[in-house]
């Protein structure tokens, strides 16, 4: 009797799936095993290569020592021959002096023993003169002996070389350097990067790599994928200044430490150039405004009417303003306005194409924060919205983040956010300043303060402010421009 067993379909599918996964896993293990075998083979090859290199290098050192030994031995022998030659000459001179003085002594002693008075008188005078001359010239007759000729001022000291030889070891790639953020400095178009290395003496050179930071958090992927990396090779110091950077822009930096054994990269550092510096443009200033010599301060002056009219100049009765002498089309820039005692002003940005009399937020091409006595408001395209701000506001901070499409205002003294416009900028914008009483002063080219340089909080604030801007604007306030 034949028994037929019918397996449930789901059981067959489960078995097939498990078998497929097992085969796939087995294939992965085989690939892994092949890689391990390949690495083992490479270890054998590399070990043999390094061992051969070790023998070669040591043989060269031994050969250098053997050659130096021969050279120094020859020098010692040559010095010995020269010194003995000098000593032999001195000995010959001494021998001659001894022979002459010995003969003279013998003759003098003979004369002293002469009993014949007449003969003594005949020889004594001559002998006495010769003895006196020999005694007077004894320094000439007796040669000097140079003790240095004894070869005892010569020494062989290889202690330094022995220490070097004792320290022989195989070279490894240097440890990764570390970028010191607290030592790095920046201007509007330069960044000076400082770093340290634990293996400073084994580093042959450094290489600095940088690119504009795009907001990508996976730096390994960024490092491997970006084609626009700038590279500065063969740096010998532990610092370098990069010139020609974009103002108000964040960059990513890597430092690579290099020697003959290889190289290693530092952790990435995000560093930022300062904001674009600018001054008030005298060509744009209204006739009733007086600018300081450094073009950083503007003051309402009814008597100042000597300026000629130009198309660039603010000319409307209600537009007592001036523009900055730059047009910004990228980066993140921060400047401050010292308001002093002024209670009637408007500060913001505008497209160049916007009419000057409407640069106070009266058209779609300008955005401002304005104060009219006790009222603070933001204005764009002729629409206004009240903003809460202290009547003691003395330093107005302006953050133009062109790349992220935002314009923000801050009470800089109290680190308080006042308002943010979300703007899809289409053209370059110029900073704009208007006053109807007193004076204001601008401070530009500043680093972005910590209290506004927080991308996460900034974006959250942007979303909140976007919701705020959906609420109805107020109609224009009477008496304010």
């Amino acid at each position: 009797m034949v028994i037929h067993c019918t397996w449930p379909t789901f059981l067959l599918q489960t078995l097939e799936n498990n078998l497929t996964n097992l085969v796939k896993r087995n294939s992965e293990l085989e690939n892994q095993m092949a890689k391990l075998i390949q690495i083992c083979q490479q270890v054998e090859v590399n070990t043999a290569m390094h061992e051969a290199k070790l023998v070669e290098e040591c043989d060269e050192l031994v050969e250098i020592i053997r050659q130096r030994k021969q050279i120094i031995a020859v020098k010692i022998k040559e010095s010995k021959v020269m010194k003995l030659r000098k000593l032999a000459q001195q000995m010959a001179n001494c021998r001659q002096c001894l022979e002459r003085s010995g003969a003279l002594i013998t003759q003098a002693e003979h004369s002293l023993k002469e009993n014949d008075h007449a003969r003594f008188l005949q020889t004594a005078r001559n002998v006495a003169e010769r003895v006196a001359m020999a005694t007077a010239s004894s320094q000439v007759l007796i040669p000097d002996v140079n003790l240095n000729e004894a070869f005892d001022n010569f020494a062989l000291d290889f202690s330094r070389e022995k220490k070097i030889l004792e320290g022989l070891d195989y070279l490894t790639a240097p440890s990764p350097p570390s970028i010191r953020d607290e030592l790095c400095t920046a201007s509007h178009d330069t960044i000076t990067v400082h770093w340290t290395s634990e293996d400073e003496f084994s580093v042959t050179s450094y290489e600095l790599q940088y690119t504009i930071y795009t907001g990508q958090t996976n730096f390994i992927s960024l490092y491997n994928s970006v084609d626009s990396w700038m590279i500065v090779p063969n740096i010998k110091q532990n610092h370098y200044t990069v010139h020609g950077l974009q103002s108000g822009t964040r960059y990513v930096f890597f430092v690579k430490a290099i020697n003959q054994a290889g190289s290693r990269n530092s952790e990435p550092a995000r560093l930022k150039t300062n904001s674009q510096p600018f001054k008030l443009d005298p060509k744009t200033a209204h006739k009733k405004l007086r600018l300081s010599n450094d073009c950083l301060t503007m003051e309402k002056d009814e008597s100042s009417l000597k300026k000629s009219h130009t198309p660039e100049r603010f000319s409307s009765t209600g537009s007592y303003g001036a523009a900055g002498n730059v047009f910004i089309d990228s980066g993140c820039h921060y400047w401050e306005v010292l308001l002093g005692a002024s209670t009637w002003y408007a500060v913001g940005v505008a497209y160049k194409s916007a009419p000057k009399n409407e640069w106070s937020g009266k058209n779609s091409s300008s955005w401002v924060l304005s104060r009219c006595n006790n009222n603070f408001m933001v204005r764009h395209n002729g629409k206004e919205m009240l903003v809460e701000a202290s009547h003691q506001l003395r330093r107005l901070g302006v953050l133009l983040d062109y790349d992220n499409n935002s314009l923000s205002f801050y009470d800089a003294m109290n680190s308080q956010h006042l308002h943010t416009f979300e703007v899809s900028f289409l053209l370059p914008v110029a900073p704009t300043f208007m006053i109807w009483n007193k004076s204001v002063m601008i401070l530009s080219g500043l680093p972005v303060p910590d209290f506004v340089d927080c991308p996460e909080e900034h974006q959250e604030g942007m979303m909140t402010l976007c919701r705020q801007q959906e609420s109805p604007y107020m109609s224009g306030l009477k008496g304010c421009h």
Side-chain angles (χ1 to χ4, degrees):
M1 185 178 65
V2 179
I3 300 176
H4 296 280
C5 296
T6 303
W7 292 90
T9 304
F10 77 92
L11 188 58
L12 289 173
Q13 291 178 345
T14 301
L15 181 59
E16 289 176 353
N17 291 338
N18 290 339
L19 180 60
T20 301
N21 292 334
L22 184 61
V23 171
K24 181 180 178 181
R25 178 63 176 165
N26 191 60
S27 177
E28 292 176 352
L29 288 172
E30 288 177 350
N31 292 335
Q32 189 74 8
M33 179 64 73
K35 290 180 181 178
L36 291 172
I37 293 173
Q38 184 179 6
I39 293 173
C40 289
Q41 293 172 345
Q42 192 62 44
V43 168
E44 294 288 347
V45 172
N46 290 342
T47 301
M49 179 182 67
H50 291 318
E51 287 175 344
K53 184 65 174 177
L54 174 64
V55 173
E56 179 185 349
E57 293 289 340
C58 289
D59 288 346
E60 288 184 6
L61 288 175
V62 171
E63 179 61 20
I64 291 173
I65 293 174
R66 187 191 67 79
Q67 293 178 3
R68 294 306 301 171
K69 178 183 176 182
Q70 289 181 347
I71 292 172
I72 294 174
V74 170
K75 287 183 177 181
I76 292 174
K77 289 180 181 178
E78 290 177 348
S79 296
K80 172 187 173 183
V81 171
M82 182 178 64
K83 291 180 182 297
L84 289 178
R85 186 179 295 121
K86 289 182 179 179
L87 290 171
Q89 183 62 44
Q90 291 180 4
M91 290 172 64
N93 293 339
C94 285
R95 192 174 292 110
Q96 291 178 2
C97 290
L98 283 171
E99 290 175 355
R100 286 195 296 270
S101 61
L104 188 56
I105 290 171
T106 300
Q107 188 176 4
E109 289 176 344
H110 245 131
S111 298
L112 291 174
K113 294 178 181 179
E114 182 61 54
N115 294 326
D116 187 340
H117 186 67
R119 185 172 293 181
F120 173 78
L121 291 174
Q122 183 179 0
T123 59
R125 184 183 300 276
N126 183 33
V127 172
E129 290 177 357
R130 292 174 61 190
V131 170
M133 290 176 59
T135 303
S137 62
S138 60
Q139 295 302 319
V140 178
L141 294 175
I142 301 176
D144 291 332
V145 176
N146 187 354
L147 297 178
N148 291 334
E149 301 295 344
F151 223 163
D152 58 358
N153 63 339
F154 181 85
L156 290 173
D157 182 9
F158 297 135
S159 57
R160 181 173 62 87
E161 288 76 7
K162 288 178 182 176
K163 288 183 179 180
I164 294 175
L165 290 174
E166 289 170 355
L168 286 180
D169 203 348
Y170 60 87
L171 185 65
T172 59
S175 299
S178 176
I179 296 179
R180 301 287 300 277
D181 292 33
E182 72 277 11
L183 299 179
C184 299
T185 58
S187 69
H188 73 282
D189 63 351
T190 68
I191 292 179
T192 299
V193 186
H194 289 259
W195 60 87
T196 56
S197 174
E198 295 179 357
D199 301 330
E200 185 174 350
F201 295 105
S202 68
V203 175
T204 305
S205 65
Y206 297 98
E207 183 177 280
L208 182 65
Q209 303 180 41
Y210 63 95
T211 189
I212 293 177
Y213 178 58
T214 58
Q216 190 169 348
T217 57
N218 188 340
F219 286 104
I220 296 177
S221 176
L222 175 67
Y223 183 80
N224 292 330
S225 63
V226 175
D227 296 327
S228 59
W229 285 91
M230 301 297 292
I231 299 176
V232 183
N234 199 31
I235 302 173
K236 300 300 183 181
Q237 305 89 2
N238 60 352
H239 58 86
Y240 188 83
T241 300
V242 181
H243 295 268
L245 301 176
Q246 295 182 22
S247 59
T249 303
R250 193 178 297 278
Y251 289 82
V252 180
F253 288 86
F254 286 91
V255 176
K256 180 185 292 185
I258 304 170
N259 64 15
Q260 291 178 333
S263 63
R264 287 185 181 166
N265 286 336
S266 68
E267 290 294 320
R270 288 182 293 176
L271 303 173
K272 184 180 178 182
T273 51
N274 289 347
S275 306
Q276 174 68 46
F278 62 86
K279 297 182 178 182
L280 297 169
D281 187 354
K283 297 191 299 295
T284 65
H286 193 279
K287 290 183 178 182
K288 292 186 178 182
L289 290 180
R290 182 170 63 235
L291 303 189
S292 60
N293 291 333
D294 58 8
C295 291
L296 296 177
T297 301
M298 54 187 283
E299 180 180 8
K300 180 73 180 304
D301 184 3
E302 294 290 342
S303 63
S304 180
L305 298 174
K306 297 180 180 180
K307 303 181 183 71
S308 60
H309 175 72
T310 62
E312 296 88 0
R313 190 178 305 283
F314 283 80
S315 58
S316 172
T317 304
S319 300
Y320 305 111
N325 61 354
V326 295
F327 282 93
I328 299 172
D329 60 1
S330 65
C332 184
H333 307 270
Y334 178 80
W335 61 89
E336 291 183 356
V337 185
L338 304 185
L339 303 168
S342 179
T343 59
W344 201 355
Y345 53 79
V347 175
V349 300
Y351 292 148
K352 183 178 181 180
S353 58
K356 298 293 188 301
N357 62 326
E358 296 182 357
W359 273 23
S360 58
K362 293 182 179 180
N363 57 26
S364 61
S365 300
S366 59
W367 301 259
V368 300
L369 182 143
S370 174
R371 178 178 183 179
C372 179
N373 296 324
N374 293 328
N375 294 313
F376 292 86
M377 67 201 75
V378 289
R379 185 186 301 117
H380 169 63
N381 202 21
K383 297 178 181 180
E384 298 171 340
M385 185 173 68
L386 288 176
V387 173
E388 290 187 9
S390 169
H391 293 166
Q392 304 303 316
L393 178 63
R394 293 292 178 264
R395 280 173 49 201
L396 177 63
V398 183
L399 179 69
L400 171 62
D401 193 347
Y402 194 98
D403 296 335
N404 289 311
N405 303 311
S406 69
L407 174 68
S408 302
F409 298 93
Y410 296 86
D411 180 344
M413 290 187 66
N414 297 314
S415 305
Q416 177 188 355
H417 174 261
L418 300 178
H419 184 80
T420 293
F421 286 107
E422 185 178 14
V423 185
S424 297
F425 293 112
L426 302 175
L427 298 169
V429 294
T432 60
F433 309 88
M434 295 183 181
I435 57 172
W436 287 267
N437 66 4
K438 307 299 181 179
S439 65
V440 297
M441 178 179 180
I442 61 171
L443 301 174
S444 65
L446 303 176
V448 178
D450 292 337
F451 67 84
V452 300
D453 194 17
C454 183
E456 292 80 7
E457 293 180 5
H458 182 63
Q459 289 181 5
E460 291 177 3
M462 287 282 294
M463 294 176 64
T464 303
L465 289 161
C466 288
R467 289 193 290 270
Q468 289 178 355
Q469 289 184 22
E470 291 173 358
S471 61
Y473 277 86
M474 298 173 52
S475 58
L477 297 177
K478 293 183 179 181
C480 293
H481 298 276

